[in-house]
Amino acid sequence: MLANILLPLLALSGTICAASTFKKRMDYSEKGSVKGVNLGGWFVIEPFINPSLFEAFGDDIPNDEYHYTLSLGKELAYERLNEHWGSWITEADFETMSGIGLNFVRIPVGYWALLALDGDPYVQGQLPYLDQALEWCAKYNIQAWIDLHGVPGSQNGFDNSGYREDAEYLAWFQGDNLNKTYEALSIMSERYGGANYSDVVAGIELVNEPLGTYLDINTIAEYYDTGYKMIRDDLDLVTDVIMHDAFRDQNYWDPYFQLYDYWGVVIDHHRYQVFSTGELARTIDEHVDFVCKQGADTASEYHWSLTGEWSAALTDCTYWLNGVGRGARYDATYQSSTKYGTCDGINDISTWTDEQKQNTRKFIEAQMDAYDQGAGWIFWTWKTENALEWDFQRLVYEGLVPQPLTDRQYPNQCGY
Ligand SMILES: *[C@@H]1O[C@H](CO)[C@@H](O)[C@H](O)[C@H]1NC(C)=O
Ligand SMILES: *[C@@H]1O[C@H](CO)[C@@H](O)[C@H](O)[C@H]1NC(C)=O
């Protein structure tokens, strides 16, 4: 095992550029060191996190930020979004995060915040708020990943990439979209991955959730390779480079990375069990067994790995979780004819049964234990307007997330 890992690196060590060797920003080999939340719905708006921004349109509701800005026009879109950027997350949030034991945030940013493209309806003005956020991070001892959450053409067609596509047609690798992506990544890395933020920014994530089950996986790998070299060698930055698993199984990337001198790389896994009927059919014990297995496997990966998104959701009931105008598989109102249960009251804790609360707490504790087998976890997301299963702050308040974070009502579920 050890020999397998060391040999290719030793073989290459004579030929590699000294500047990039051993540079790392943080040591992710320490299990469970990252306890974080995503700052979702801030610089990339999402209908399920901030429905009020979208509901304001009445009958003709846009699906995503692209259509939101397209409908409003630049002036009005800027006015509303600027108001949102200045109020959705404030210093008080960072103070609360630190107070409940969190030490990490992942901050999604769309390419349009960094690079204005001709013909795009998107508006800019996010970066001063991001700069301010990083100052608050420093003040409250919180480390940050800056994550390129949407790229030109969209890397997955999800509304959270800025642009939702209803049919599978992703334009990331068409025209000069990839070139523009490198340009945006370079601006982001230079500004946030260097000396100015070296005490706060712990990593740059090359792209969020590229749809590796549909897009050409080799082109994604090439983007990872080029992006990595751009950051570490061309720009000569110390920051760690974060790569999402592209929806490939655990260990998929091991052989690929063993070929290269990649230091300071973290593989980012996102773990949800509610986006298919098979997963929704699981009992709570099956949900828990599944994450425990993932935790055990994580420890065997070639590179540092971390769970950069997960939630408390045991259903896909949350309003607009599957997109504007879409229902839920759980109650057979979207892409399913099997009804697993009712979605009524999903966001109203006063209607939850004791069993629902117990299962949710069990699921949260098991996930923390499992993901701590890697470098740790980053919950999706810190706050929402009204999506309880996805709202860390409210889950803490309702006693469903342990306080302190290490407290366990269901200890040792995974038996590690
Ligand atoms: C992308 O950039 C490269 C290098 O600058 C250039 O050779 C290539 O033609 C560009 N591709 C597109 C599609 O613009
Ligand atoms: C670092 O901060 C200084 C002072 O605000 C600024 O002038 C400079 O452009 C920043 N460097 C980068 C790479 O953004």
Side-chain angles (χ1 to χ4, degrees):
M1 177 66 195
L2 197 58
N4 280 347
I5 288 177
L6 289 178
L7 272 175
L9 296 178
L10 291 174
L12 280 168
S13 63
T15 60
I16 51 184
C17 164
S20 72
T21 312
F22 302 121
K23 267 195 313 199
K24 69 173 192 288
R25 173 63 187 75
M26 227 179 98
D27 189 354
Y28 295 84
S29 59
E30 193 189 326
K31 284 185 177 186
S33 49
V34 169
K35 299 186 187 313
V37 288
N38 281 273
L39 303 185
W42 195 13
F43 301 126
V44 181
I45 56 172
E46 288 191 48
F48 97 90
I49 300 175
N50 294 101
S52 70
L53 289 174
F54 291 83
E55 279 162 344
F57 289 78
D59 289 340
D60 196 11
I61 298 176
N63 287 335
D64 49 46
E65 183 160 341
Y66 181 95
H67 292 97
Y68 177 95
T69 51
L70 186 67
S71 299
L72 291 177
K74 295 225 184 217
E75 204 174 318
L76 195 52
Y78 174 78
E79 202 177 289
R80 289 194 195 172
L81 288 177
N82 190 45
E83 162 82 28
H84 172 70
W85 299 326
S87 58
W88 180 239
I89 304 279
T90 66
E91 180 170 357
D93 290 291
F94 292 89
E95 193 178 1
T96 308
M97 287 174 211
S98 156
I100 60 176
L102 297 172
N103 61 14
F104 219 87
V105 289
R106 176 170 174 265
I107 309 182
V109 179
Y111 75 86
W112 55 90
L114 306 149
L115 181 69
L117 294 186
D118 289 347
D120 265 1
Y122 292 118
V123 294
Q124 295 192 318
Q126 299 89 341
L127 298 189
Y129 294 101
L130 176 52
D131 297 350
Q132 170 71 79
L134 294 172
E135 275 173 43
W136 290 328
C137 283
K139 181 168 172 188
Y140 296 101
N141 284 317
I142 291 171
Q143 301 283 302
W145 280 355
I146 311 294
D147 146 45
L148 190 56
H149 213 70
V151 294
S154 179
Q155 73 278 23
N156 52 34
F158 305 156
D159 55 9
N160 57 54
S161 71
Y163 193 86
R164 176 177 124 188
E165 290 180 277
D166 291 312
E168 272 194 303
Y169 170 80
L170 307 181
W172 184 26
F173 297 152
Q174 293 168 24
D176 60 358
N177 285 338
L178 201 48
N179 274 15
K180 296 295 181 194
T181 304
Y182 287 122
E183 212 176 309
L185 180 66
S186 162
I187 295 168
M188 187 169 101
S189 306
E190 205 162 10
R191 180 160 171 149
Y192 295 108
N196 280 6
Y197 292 107
S198 62
D199 55 339
V200 185
V201 173
I204 298 286
E205 183 151 7
L206 300 181
V207 63
N208 177 62
E209 298 188 350
L211 200 57
T213 48
Y214 178 80
L215 291 169
D216 177 39
I217 195 74
N218 295 319
T219 311
I220 295 174
E222 206 179 296
Y223 172 72
Y224 281 172
D225 184 46
T226 308
Y228 176 89
K229 286 173 179 152
M230 185 178 88
I231 291 173
R232 306 276 292 200
D233 298 337
D234 304 348
L235 299 175
D236 197 24
L237 302 172
V238 179
T239 189
D240 291 325
V241 178
I242 319 304
M243 304 185 190
H244 180 261
D245 62 23
F247 300 101
R248 294 297 174 132
D249 288 341
Q250 213 125 235
N251 301 96
Y252 173 86
W253 293 96
D254 288 0
Y256 176 77
F257 286 129
Q258 279 165 9
L259 287 174
Y260 294 92
D261 164 44
Y262 288 111
W263 293 91
V265 164
V266 185
I267 301 294
D268 175 15
H269 298 292
H270 296 176
R271 326 260 197 196
Y272 299 118
Q273 295 187 43
V274 295
F275 292 112
S276 70
T277 49
E279 293 167 301
L280 289 167
R282 288 177 193 155
T283 64
I284 182 62
D285 289 343
E286 288 167 345
H287 282 300
V288 165
D289 285 351
F290 197 81
V291 296
C292 291
K293 171 86 169 52
Q294 286 180 319
D297 289 349
T298 279
S300 75
E301 279 188 308
Y302 176 71
H303 263 297
W304 293 326
S305 75
L306 188 152
T307 298
E309 288 192 23
W310 60 287
S311 82
L314 290 164
T315 74
D316 65 338
C317 283
T318 289
Y319 183 56
W320 284 352
L321 178 66
N322 295 308
V324 166
R326 291 174 177 168
R329 297 172 189 89
Y330 191 73
D331 68 355
T333 54
Y334 176 64
Q335 282 191 353
S336 166
S337 51
T338 310
K339 186 164 175 169
Y340 298 95
T342 174
C343 283
D344 293 350
I346 193 67
N347 293 326
D348 181 359
I349 189 89
S350 72
T351 69
W352 280 31
T353 62
D354 285 346
E355 190 189 8
Q356 230 172 332
K357 292 181 199 166
Q358 285 157 9
N359 286 349
T360 300
R361 170 116 187 184
K362 246 187 215 176
F363 189 43
I364 290 171
E365 289 188 7
Q367 289 187 85
M368 288 177 166
D369 291 348
Y371 309 150
D372 278 351
Q373 295 300 300
W377 47 261
I378 309 175
F379 189 92
W380 188 274
T381 183
W382 168 238
K383 61 187 286 207
T384 70
E385 284 177 5
N386 193 26
L388 180 55
E389 292 184 297
W390 298 82
D391 188 320
F392 197 84
Q393 196 176 9
R394 262 186 75 200
L395 290 163
V396 169
Y397 180 77
E398 303 295 356
L400 300 180
V401 162
Q403 277 295 296
L405 295 169
T406 49
D407 181 48
R408 291 291 176 269
Q409 284 175 9
Y410 306 95
N412 206 26
Q413 291 184 84
C414 291
Y416 297 132

